[in-house]
Amino acid sequence: MNQDTFNAQATANGHKFGYVAIMGPPNAGKSTLMNTYLGDKVAIVTAKPQTTRNQISGILSEPSAQVIFVDTPGVHQLRGKMNRMLVQSAWQAMHGADLVLVVLDADAYLRHPDILERDLEPLLKAIAQEIRPVAVALNKVDLFHDKSRMLPLLQQLHEVWPNAEIFPVSALTGEGLPPLLAFIKGRLPEAPAQFPDDQLSTVPLRFMAAEIIREKLFISLKQELPYYTAVGIEDWKEDAERKFTTIHAVIYVGRTNHKGMVIGKQGQHLKQIGIEARKEIETLLEQRVHLELWVKVREGWTEDQSFLQALHSASEE
């Protein structure tokens, strides 16, 4: 059966295909939700907010549908060139999607009701008049036992988003995710699959490797320092015969004193980051990896438009 015949048959059988933009404030659990659906880690996940810096696409392939989840940076109102670029990236993903999935932190709003309006404001401005389907995943319901506590929150969300379908879920445990997925698949257009069944993401392996290194930095560094670090892959050599890949990566920091913090005493901190990252990259590539890390100071890089654009462009190569 040739590809054209396969595509025609898939469409005739009601196969669904489409893009889902995952939107929401920082630290709502967007990356965790996508990773749980995929059954694998595509986007990095840490306890720190605003971890995702690029649009990261994950591919869920099932017999009846192929869903492309686009994980986006958290929508917020912070200043600075990097923050503006992050938010712009999120809006771009939304405009190219067939369905918008808003992820909200239910536990945070139950503990701090006053922050709900702040988090919803930028989203409502952009999505309130959406003609595309909108679903709201009210996440982290596993953090409280009495689900009736959500009733006022659900009522409030129904009032501000009357046309959205709201699903209480736990991205961490999977609770409530099957009904949400059924809704998503039901609203996507009929079309054949566009990617192989075994392809997990549309992002390049180099980008995923850099993200793994950045994740280890976020986990191991304290306070605000991780937000002043970036990772770039400078060299990537594959030896197909030996199944061996050599990777040279640079960790950029914003200040001279940050360099010592990343490297650590006698280089031990950087060495540990490299060990942990290498193991995960080897799992990703399914082969042995030699990973070399350098730390370079680039003062003010978060406000350097050309550098930010170069990092963003490199992630798409």
Side-chain angles (χ1 to χ4, degrees), residues 19-23 53-57 70-75 82-100 123 126-127 130 132 305 308-309 312-313 315-316:
Y19 288 81
V20 176
I22 307 178
M23 311 287 293
R53 289 181 181 166
N54 299 79
Q55 297 176 21
I56 301 174
S57 299
V70 184
D71 185 23
T72 66
V75 175
M82 184 172 72
N83 286 311
R84 287 196 296 271
M85 182 176 285
L86 296 182
V87 174
Q88 183 182 19
S89 177
W91 295 140
Q92 288 173 346
M94 186 191 77
H95 293 314
D98 298 290
L99 181 145
V100 179
L123 292 165
I127 302 175
E130 266 296 325
R132 286 169 292 185
Q305 188 70 38
L308 290 171
Q309 193 59 52
H312 183 75
S313 299
S315 71
E316 298 176 345

Side-chain angles (χ1 to χ4, degrees), residues 8-277:
Q9 181 175 324
T11 303
N13 291 339
H15 185 277
K16 300 294 189 76
F17 173 85
Y19 288 81
V20 176
I22 307 178
M23 311 287 293
N27 214 32
K30 300 182 294 297
S31 298
T32 301
L33 185 145
M34 182 178 75
N35 290 343
T36 299
Y37 270 136
L38 300 181
D40 209 332
K41 188 168 77 171
V42 172
I44 67 175
V45 177
T46 78
K48 296 181 174 70
Q50 204 58 48
T51 304
T52 301
R53 289 181 181 166
N54 299 79
Q55 297 176 21
I56 301 174
S57 299
I59 304 171
L60 175 64
S61 297
E62 295 187 345
S64 62
Q66 189 171 73
V67 184
I68 314 302
F69 290 103
V70 184
D71 185 23
T72 66
V75 175
H76 57 298
Q77 301 184 54
L78 298 178
R79 298 178 179 178
K81 289 183 180 178
M82 184 172 72
N83 286 311
R84 287 196 296 271
M85 182 176 285
L86 296 182
V87 174
Q88 183 182 19
S89 177
W91 295 140
Q92 288 173 346
M94 186 191 77
H95 293 314
D98 298 290
L99 181 145
V100 179
L101 173 58
V102 179
V103 181
L104 301 174
D105 185 342
D107 179 62
Y109 301 137
L110 290 179
R111 290 185 290 108
H112 306 286
D114 54 301
I115 67 174
L116 177 61
E117 183 176 351
R118 178 204 68 189
D119 284 354
L120 288 184
E121 183 180 359
L123 292 165
L124 286 172
K125 284 181 180 178
I127 302 175
Q129 304 303 319
E130 266 296 325
I131 59 174
R132 286 169 292 185
V134 177
V136 177
L138 202 51
N139 191 27
K140 304 186 183 182
V141 300
D142 55 296
L143 296 180
F144 46 90
H145 298 292
D146 184 5
K147 300 299 190 286
S148 66
R149 294 173 56 203
M150 286 192 300
L151 292 177
L153 179 57
L154 287 168
Q155 180 62 36
Q156 189 174 357
L157 291 173
H158 277 297
E159 290 174 1
V160 297
W161 259 320
N163 298 323
E165 293 289 330
I166 302 175
F167 297 85
V169 305
S170 169
L172 188 63
T173 67
E175 179 182 350
L177 292 187
L180 173 58
L181 182 59
F183 173 83
I184 291 171
K185 292 192 294 185
R187 299 306 188 276
L188 294 181
E190 287 192 8
Q194 301 296 314
F195 299 93
D197 289 347
D198 59 352
Q199 184 171 339
L200 195 61
S201 178
T202 62
V203 299
L205 290 174
R206 289 186 180 213
F207 171 77
M208 295 184 72
E211 285 289 274
I212 289 171
I213 298 167
R214 196 165 65 86
E215 179 190 54
K216 305 314 174 189
L217 283 164
F218 260 78
I219 292 172
S220 63
L221 296 173
K222 299 183 184 197
Q223 298 178 346
E224 296 301 312
L225 182 54
Y227 299 99
Y228 294 96
T229 60
V231 177
I233 303 297
E234 285 209 334
D235 192 36
W236 181 293
K237 293 180 180 177
E238 296 183 26
D239 187 332
E241 187 174 327
R242 297 170 56 211
K243 288 190 174 182
F244 188 85
T245 299
T246 301
I247 302 171
H248 295 174
V250 175
I251 299 171
Y252 294 99
V253 295
R255 298 176 184 175
T256 302
N257 64 320
H258 290 171
K259 183 174 182 179
M261 296 179 191
V262 172
I263 295 174
K265 188 175 181 180
Q266 296 181 336
Q268 288 304 305
H269 188 237
L270 184 64
K271 180 180 179 181
Q272 188 60 36
I273 290 171
I275 291 172
E276 294 175 4

